[in-house]
Amino acid sequence: MCGGKDATVLFSGLRRQASTAPNDETFRRAYIEAMNAPCKSDLDRLQAAFEGQRSAFSFDAVPGISTRRMKLRDLVRAIRARRSGIVDAISADFGNRSADETLSAEIAVTIGSIEHTCRHLDRWANPTRMFNLGIPIPGRTYVRHEPKGVVGVISPWNYPFQLAVIPAATALAGGNKVLVKPSEFTPRTAELLAQLFADVYGEDEVAVVTGGPDVGKAFSELAFDHLFFTGSTEVGRKVAMAAAENLTPVTLELGGKSPCVMMPDADPEKHAPLVAFGKFYSGGQTCVAPDYLLVPKGRAEAFSAAIIDAARRTWPAPATDDGYTSIITDRHHDRLAAMIDEARDAGLTVLSAGDAAPDARRIPPTVVIGPAPDSRLMTEEIFGPILPIIEYDDLDDAVRFVTARDHPLALYAFGRDARAAEKLVARTTSGGAVVNGTIVHLAVEHLPFGGVGKSGYGAYHGKRGFAEFTHARSVLVLPQWPILRDTIVRPDGRRMRWLTDWMIGK
Ligand code: NAD
């Protein structure tokens, strides 16, 4: 038997049986057997996994808070045990990615997130008592934080571990079942994710399905109870439209062009290294990387020299394993190389941290001074190690430049006077913002992380993530006082009229 259509039919039959014997062990055994059988295709396996999780959610008891926490701690242990495997898989998927980048941005951030969740889970998951003055409706009130059901997680290639595991773990903390679809560009990491989850969870709790856009499309058409998508704005729009058919709530974690603004008092020596770090980390393939840099008039050369100098110091041995991260595919590499060629052809100043790429898919950190607003560098999300630098006349001009464009995922402002930089932040909109730093806000677990406008909607991390994956269900327990009953249901309605008049006021 195959874990595909046959399994789907089997599940429908078993569901019917299970309605009389919900916890029937036969159901679980048949499910596991079907899932382990070879599949006809990714799409069949997807359908089978979804059906299986739906059934499991409908008929199994929701795991208690202590069970959820225990399993999340087991997951952390499994991640620690597999750390070198994760480093190797991601590096092999990219061509090269330094162990330091994977250990910090994938493994440490993910473990930090899960441990934060474990520490706070009781407070987030237990019913929240609400203070009720009793006017006009008396009674006990509280909010239950219930699992939504089966959650779908579609993840991208650029941080293929943390962007799959953190949303999945947060959804599991909420008591949900989770189906994960990683990117087709990181197959070794996808395989490892499947093994990692299998260390701790049954496939009726977490399953990983693989495939490209066709599987992604079919995935987003399933009637999930919540769909969590991380990826491009273009695909995010398609996912939201598919989910709308089922009225599935969606979180969209998208990209965009995140600006970085140097205030008039910013210092190249002090601030440029932090820009270089956030921009060129992981080959610039970071959703929150600064996409372009705005500097005061006359200072582009000073800042570009300082940024290139900082990049050289940060990646002193570009060709080694600890050197630049490779661009994920030849296609992505060629697109970036074409952008640099276009800038050179336009006669712009192009500075590079290295003369030649150490191998076919690594691009040295590069800055381009003054690209035209309608160039690809200034209209497309760059998502690679190229930083356009644009000069502004005054801060009003800088603010206009930022606010005339789509709302970005992040905004960075640098200046010796941090308060002044905060004022600039307040005059703009973005998913998140950092003053005097770049990209590290992603690792501050108690800060909600998400976009706004074209950079997405919804958010996760910490308590906000738990709220995203749970349903806040209000409960009112009315006292059984005759006076209350008579007020509500009395046929002549006199008390109700008095009450409504009092509520409306004079
Ligand atoms: P992508 O949108 O091309 O792909 C993301 C995922 O969607 C992949 O798993 C892919 O297989 C799947 N997919 C493709 N077509 C689909 C369809 N029609 N329906 C459903 N799913 C489909 O993005 P990418 O190239 O993997 O990642 C880069 C983008 O992701 C950048 O724009 C970046 O800014 C963004 N990103 C955002 C965040 C964030 O947290 N906001 C984080 C990382 C990356």
Side-chain angles (χ1 to χ4, degrees), residues 154-159 163 181-185 211-220 229-236 238-239 252-256 285-288 332 381 383 409 442 449-451 455 460:
I154 302 180
S155 54
W157 53 263
N158 65 322
Y159 287 91
L163 296 175
K181 198 217 79 69
S183 169
E184 63 278 20
F185 295 126
D214 52 337
V215 175
K217 181 172 177 299
F219 193 98
S220 52
F229 173 81
T230 307
S232 60
T233 301
E234 187 194 338
V235 176
K238 291 183 191 167
V239 167
L252 294 181
E253 296 282 343
L254 310 178
Q285 301 164 107
T286 304
C287 55
V288 284
H332 291 79
E381 179 184 8
F383 222 55
L409 184 58
L442 208 144
F449 182 80
S455 57
Y460 71 134

Side-chain angles (χ1 to χ4, degrees), residues 400-434:
R400 264 194 305 274
F401 194 94
V402 170
T403 54
R405 286 163 174 76
D406 290 336
H407 296 331
L409 184 58
L411 181 138
Y412 306 107
F414 283 87
R416 273 185 285 237
D417 180 353
R419 294 270 172 217
E422 280 180 78
K423 281 188 187 146
L424 177 113
V425 168
R427 293 178 66 191
T428 60
T429 302
S430 64
V434 182

Side-chain angles (χ1 to χ4, degrees), residues 24-285:
D24 190 356
E25 194 47 34
T26 351
F27 167 74
R28 185 179 296 282
R29 272 203 302 274
Y31 172 72
I32 290 166
E33 190 186 309
M35 288 307 298
N36 286 336
C39 279
K40 283 178 194 149
S41 74
D42 286 339
L43 289 179
D44 286 345
R45 196 178 123 62
L46 165 64
Q47 189 65 32
F50 178 72
E51 290 284 335
Q53 292 200 345
R54 278 238 74 86
S55 300
F57 186 76
S58 302
F59 300 119
D60 290 357
V62 171
I65 299 170
S66 54
T67 307
R68 291 182 224 168
R69 189 173 34 235
M70 191 186 71
K71 288 203 165 194
L72 288 173
R73 291 206 162 122
D74 287 347
L75 184 63
V76 167
R77 274 188 280 277
I79 295 172
R80 286 196 182 113
R82 289 180 177 273
R83 87 174 78 176
S84 61
I86 299 167
V87 167
D88 293 346
I90 295 181
S91 191
D93 279 337
F94 272 75
N96 182 63
R97 168 63 102 82
S98 83
D100 281 347
E101 287 183 353
T102 295
L103 287 169
S104 56
E106 307 270 11
I107 301 178
V109 167
T110 303
I111 288 179
S113 166
I114 301 175
E115 286 185 334
H116 178 87
T117 298
C118 288
R119 274 196 300 278
H120 297 279
L121 192 56
D122 276 323
R123 202 156 41 83
W124 299 343
N126 277 317
T128 313
R129 277 198 181 285
M130 308 299 281
F131 187 58
N132 180 13
L133 273 176
I135 301 170
I137 314 281
R140 202 152 45 78
T141 50
Y142 58 97
V143 175
R144 288 173 52 81
H145 306 284
E146 300 185 342
K148 287 190 171 179
V150 183
V151 171
V153 173
I154 302 180
S155 54
W157 53 263
N158 65 322
Y159 287 91
F161 188 79
Q162 69 135 301
L163 296 175
V165 179
I166 295 179
T170 316
L172 288 163
N176 300 285
K177 312 290 178 193
V178 186
L179 211 50
V180 182
K181 198 217 79 69
S183 169
E184 63 278 20
F185 295 126
T186 47
R188 295 169 191 87
T189 314
E191 176 63 32
L192 188 139
L193 286 172
Q195 292 164 1
L196 174 80
F197 284 124
D199 287 348
V200 181
Y201 296 95
E203 282 220 325
D204 55 346
E205 293 171 290
V206 190
V208 176
V209 291
T210 51
D214 52 337
V215 175
K217 181 172 177 299
F219 193 98
S220 52
E221 285 166 0
L222 293 171
F224 282 109
D225 299 295
H226 191 100
L227 196 48
F228 187 96
F229 173 81
T230 307
S232 60
T233 301
E234 187 194 338
V235 176
R237 184 178 289 114
K238 291 183 191 167
V239 167
M241 284 165 72
E245 279 292 322
N246 296 309
L247 294 182
T248 294
V250 188
T251 309
L252 294 181
E253 296 282 343
L254 310 178
K257 295 182 77 62
S258 298
C260 184
V261 185
M262 289 293 167
M263 300 292 286
D265 67 347
D267 176 359
E269 205 181 310
K270 192 167 156 190
H271 297 133
L274 292 160
V275 178
F277 163 77
K279 175 65 198 182
F280 304 124
Y281 194 85
S282 198
Q285 301 164 107

Side-chain angles (χ1 to χ4, degrees), residues 129 132 137-142 474-480 484:
R129 277 198 181 285
N132 180 13
I137 314 281
R140 202 152 45 78
T141 50
Y142 58 97
S474 298
V475 179
L476 165 67
V477 182
L478 282 173
Q480 301 180 57
L484 180 64

